Amino acid sequence: MNVIIFGPPGAGKGTQAKFFVKNYNNFQVSTGDMLRDEIQKNSEIGKKIINNMNDGKFVDDEIVNKLIKNVIFDSTKKNKLVFDGYPRSLTQAKNLEVLLNESNQKIDFIFFLNVNKETIVKRIEKRKILEKRSDDDLDTILKRYDTYMETTKPVLDFYSKNKNFYEIDGDLKINEITTKIEAFINV
Ligand code: AMP
């Protein structure tokens, strides 16, 4: 089963992705983690993206698409992908469709965690203390939210027409969201 968890920063995508890792043997595909890893390694990609990441701006589609391609064509992960933070633009969504087609895969479920801005600010401030991420200060958080709204809205329109698209109130508690996801899967 391949799944997309979709929603603004701080919506709880990573947390719900881990539910799939634990219960369905999925591999978490977090482009945010992959990009932070490149910065950590001080790789060529890392050097190119550090400013955008710290400013709360998106990394170029071309770079993210290249990282994603390796994962999709990894046969050990075939049909076990849970996407968290990808796709975030229409170009990425279309790229994902092409890559999945080429590798004989499809998306089985798209879960949209819809959360309001106030909840996100509260959650990310909490996460900042727990995870010490350099892009988690309030200004950057708000910038990331606005970037998300601008760039990701077309992706929402693109997916919301699919019959495997499910919108969930992301203001609910973690376990309540998980229960809803399970219910949709088990229909
Ligand atoms: P995240 O951990 O998903 O909140 O992502 C943290 C940051 O990584 C974002 O603010 C972007 O700068 C960058 N990023 C993560 N995923 C993507 C993506 N799919 N496209 C572009 N930039 C991304």
Side-chain angles (χ1 to χ4, degrees):
M1 164 170 67
N2 290 324
V3 179
I4 296 176
I5 318 263
F6 190 69
K13 299 187 292 292
T15 307
Q16 298 304 330
K18 288 193 172 67
F19 160 77
F20 284 92
V21 173
K22 194 164 168 235
N23 293 279
Y24 296 94
N25 279 328
N26 277 82
F27 290 90
Q28 184 177 357
V29 187
S30 159
T31 41
D33 283 350
M34 290 159 89
L35 294 166
R36 277 185 288 279
D37 193 45
E38 295 294 327
I39 293 179
Q40 199 79 31
K41 289 189 297 197
N42 200 24
S43 67
E44 281 311 307
I45 290 181
K47 286 178 203 157
K48 274 193 206 153
I49 63 176
I50 189 160
N51 290 337
N52 273 20
M53 293 270 295
N54 284 342
D55 289 349
K57 293 183 192 146
F58 280 4
V59 169
D60 284 351
D61 285 335
E62 204 186 315
I63 293 180
V64 184
N65 285 343
K66 207 191 261 177
L67 291 175
I68 280 290
K69 188 169 183 179
N70 296 334
V71 183
I72 292 178
F73 282 90
D74 179 341
S75 61
T76 63
K77 298 181 177 159
K78 190 169 179 182
N79 287 319
K80 292 181 188 169
L81 303 167
V82 55
F83 293 95
D84 149 24
Y86 185 95
R88 258 168 151 112
S89 67
L90 207 50
T91 314
Q92 293 181 8
K94 291 189 170 157
N95 178 66
L96 180 61
E97 287 226 320
V98 171
L99 294 177
L100 288 173
N101 266 334
E102 282 175 1
S103 61
N104 276 320
Q105 298 184 73
K106 63 178 174 56
I107 293 296
D108 298 286
F109 295 96
I110 304 160
F111 296 109
F112 170 45
L113 309 183
N114 197 359
V115 194
N116 69 52
K117 200 168 181 173
E118 291 72 40
T119 308
I120 286 169
V121 170
K122 271 192 226 142
R123 283 190 191 161
I124 298 197
E125 295 226 290
K126 213 174 185 186
R127 182 171 79 187
K128 183 184 173 181
I129 299 165
L130 296 174
E131 295 181 16
K132 297 189 180 66
R133 273 174 53 167
S134 59
D135 61 348
D136 271 351
D137 73 278
L138 190 58
D139 267 0
T140 314
I141 293 165
L142 297 175
K143 222 179 278 167
R144 282 167 60 203
Y145 185 84
D146 292 341
T147 312
Y148 169 84
M149 282 303 175
E150 268 167 41
T151 322
T152 313
K153 177 73 175 54
V155 185
L156 195 56
D157 298 339
F158 180 75
Y159 283 133
S160 59
K161 296 181 199 105
N162 289 16
K163 62 177 189 313
N164 58 0
F165 174 91
Y166 300 93
E167 180 169 340
I168 298 173
D169 177 2
D171 281 335
L172 294 172
K173 295 199 185 93
I174 291 173
N175 61 327
E176 292 171 332
I177 295 177
T178 309
T179 303
K180 285 196 181 283
I181 288 178
E182 271 185 302
F184 285 130
I185 290 175
N186 293 322
V187 165

